Amino acid sequence: MSEHADVLIIGAGPAGLSAALAAANDGAQVVLLDDNPLPGGQIWRDGAQANIPSQARHLRDSVEAHTHIQRHAATRVVAKAGSQALLVENPERGWVITYRSLILCTGARELLLPFPGWTLPGVTGAGGLQALIKGGMPVVDERIVIAGSGPLLLASADTAKHHGAQVVRIAEQAPLGAVATFAMQLPRWPHKLLQSFSLFDAGYRTGTRIVAALGQDHLEGVRLQRGNKVEELACERLACGFGLIPNVQLGQALGCALGNNAIQVDAWQATDVAGVYAAGECTGFGGSELALVEGRIAGHVAAGNREAAQRLWGERQRWQRFAGSLNQHFALDPTLKHLAAPDTLLCRCEDVPYAAVAAHANWREAKLSTRCGMGACQGKVCGAAAHYLFDWPPVAPRPPFTPTRIETLIQLESAAQSEH
């Protein structure tokens, strides 16, 4: 069983949705895949308690209504099935999609770093907290501490407060000078300036980092450090996020070159693999505005409309400047590489401590010797942490890229035969 697309797009976040609409409006037949049940990606995640921005709803409705766009929800890429074909699978079936052009809009995920107590029930990622609340998790009257780095901390705090939680502290690791310099530049992007006013919180502290989560069977409090001062705060929930890291695994598997641990693209959003483009946070973190315009450029180019794409270069440059400022001023302090104690678990799935992984020279060696990264998350959490902690380069995944049914994998053989 197979399907063909003029333009195949992986990921239905802001970049993927805008790419799909741009390509379809240029006359291309578009297939849009996403592993979530609803479009929007992480930033526009839908759910029982989600408040989706009007811009996101309009874009999503436009994609759903377009006759040239076929969207497949809850669908994952399993393997490469030829020079211009991917094997995919949803809960009901697996099939091959062939394409003329491919756009990777695989987004980014949170960087979670290990520290004493981070495996206690009640500790999540900052973005993870947002996702849980949007999905319906009650947080009324809970005391919450949010720690790590970047604007996601403020956004998570805002979501929690809107659903009845008490945010007792937002601990930003970046120093006051860096945050203040970034804030002074915000008038260049008026929308972001207004957004910052709405997200302001009296419990926000700069130059503050997590030391430990406290408790026995569940989270009871946190220990934070600000300069030479250490404080302990009682709380029922702790959310930590140390920025975002691009999801580059599929790009790597297809042979795309990386730069700064993101998929490398040129002015046309093209990778160094013919017919393969990338847009959004898999090419580097820059926020939804940058993802939207990159997606539109990639969609137009993939559909053959370079003139429309080039008209968007100025807008992209504007948001690239914002992304550059954001990444510069919220850069992680190298001391964060030393949060974990030797016995702190680095791989939660396989109970592998930090010291056992640190004893090895690279990720492959650590996996073979300790089973780190071989559990349920397949290294998505511990692998990213290890790459940051030990400066190990990301390793290309081997197919299948996700746990897959045997009957789906069998289709690889018939796909190979049809190509020859």
Side-chain angles (χ1 to χ4, degrees):
M1 188 176 198
S2 64
E3 181 178 12
H4 178 74
D6 294 332
V7 179
L8 173 60
I9 301 171
I10 311 300
L17 291 171
S18 62
L21 201 57
N25 285 339
D26 286 337
Q29 293 294 330
V30 176
V31 174
L32 175 62
L33 304 187
D34 194 82
D35 58 1
N36 289 308
L38 294 169
Q42 298 303 319
I43 193 166
W44 290 338
R45 175 183 282 271
D46 209 340
Q49 298 183 149
N51 182 22
I52 306 299
S54 58
Q55 179 192 24
R57 289 193 181 279
H58 175 73
L59 182 56
R60 189 170 70 179
D61 291 347
S62 299
V63 167
E64 292 295 318
H66 208 294
T67 56
H68 285 185
I69 301 174
Q70 172 65 55
R71 185 175 67 86
H72 295 295
T75 303
R76 298 185 176 187
V77 177
V78 172
K80 187 176 178 181
S83 60
Q84 290 183 298
L86 295 177
L87 177 65
V88 304
E89 183 182 71
N90 66 16
E92 287 77 42
R93 65 189 178 106
W95 72 104
V96 172
I97 302 179
T98 60
Y99 57 84
R100 188 187 69 207
S101 297
L102 174 67
I103 306 177
L104 302 176
C105 301
T106 47
R109 63 189 186 279
E110 281 189 279
L111 174 61
L112 305 176
L113 298 179
F115 54 86
W118 79 303
T119 59
L120 283 170
V123 181
T124 66
L129 174 65
Q130 266 196 316
L132 288 167
I133 293 174
K134 290 178 180 180
M137 183 184 75
V139 291
V140 175
D141 295 330
E142 284 192 347
R143 293 170 296 179
I144 296 179
V145 172
I146 299 177
S149 190
L152 180 58
L153 305 186
L154 291 168
S156 296
D158 186 64
T159 299
K161 288 185 292 185
H162 273 87
H163 289 87
Q166 178 190 352
V167 177
V168 297
R169 179 72 77 246
I170 303 174
E172 167 60 60
Q173 62 86 40
L176 175 60
V179 176
T181 301
F182 175 74
M184 286 189 292
Q185 294 178 0
L186 284 178
R188 296 161 64 187
W189 305 280
H191 168 68
K192 291 296 184 183
L193 179 63
L194 291 173
Q195 193 178 56
S196 69
F197 290 145
S198 67
L199 295 177
F200 175 77
D201 189 279
Y204 186 79
R205 300 288 185 276
T206 58
T208 306
R209 62 181 178 87
I210 187 76
V211 174
L214 310 174
Q216 294 298 319
D217 299 322
H218 62 275
L219 180 71
E220 298 173 15
V222 299
R223 184 176 298 134
L224 302 170
Q225 183 167 354
R226 189 183 193 196
N228 295 323
K229 181 183 176 184
V230 175
E231 67 173 339
E232 293 188 359
L233 300 170
C235 62
E236 285 76 46
R237 196 171 294 279
L238 167 65
C240 285
F242 297 91
L244 299 176
I245 49 174
N247 289 323
V248 300
Q249 290 78 8
L250 181 54
Q252 283 185 286
L254 296 172
C256 300
L258 303 185
N260 295 321
N261 293 325
I263 298 175
Q264 200 167 43
V265 293
D266 64 13
W268 303 104
Q269 300 297 139
T271 71
D272 63 338
V273 177
V276 179
Y277 304 85
E281 292 180 346
C282 62
T283 66
F285 173 60
S288 61
E289 294 85 0
L290 180 58
L292 285 166
V293 68
E294 286 183 346
R296 287 162 63 198
I297 291 171
H300 285 309
V301 175
N305 189 354
R306 290 194 165 219
E307 186 179 338
Q310 195 163 6
R311 287 197 294 266
L312 297 167
W313 284 6
E315 183 182 348
R316 179 181 58 189
Q317 188 176 46
R318 178 170 177 254
W319 289 111
Q320 283 175 334
R321 286 194 293 267
F322 173 78
S325 179
L326 184 70
N327 293 323
Q328 175 189 350
H329 294 104
F330 288 93
L332 296 183
D333 189 313
T335 60
L336 295 174
K337 295 191 177 191
H338 309 292
L339 293 177
D343 62 349
T344 300
L345 292 182
L346 175 57
C347 176
R348 299 181 294 186
C349 299
E350 296 291 329
D351 293 336
V352 182
Y354 172 88
V357 180
H360 297 281
N362 56 60
W363 177 242
R364 176 178 170 79
E365 198 178 288
K367 280 184 71 175
L368 290 173
S369 301
T370 69
R371 288 192 56 81
C372 181
M374 299 178 73
C377 88
Q378 289 291 286
K380 288 184 175 64
V381 176
C382 60
H387 299 324
Y388 171 75
L389 295 172
F390 310 122
D391 298 315
W392 292 342
V395 178
R398 293 185 297 175
F401 308 138
T402 183
T404 308
R405 295 187 293 268
I406 294 296
E407 54 265 35
T408 297
L409 290 175
I410 291 173
Q411 296 189 47
L412 280 176
E413 184 177 355
S414 57
Q417 290 174 348
S418 65
E419 188 166 69
H420 294 296

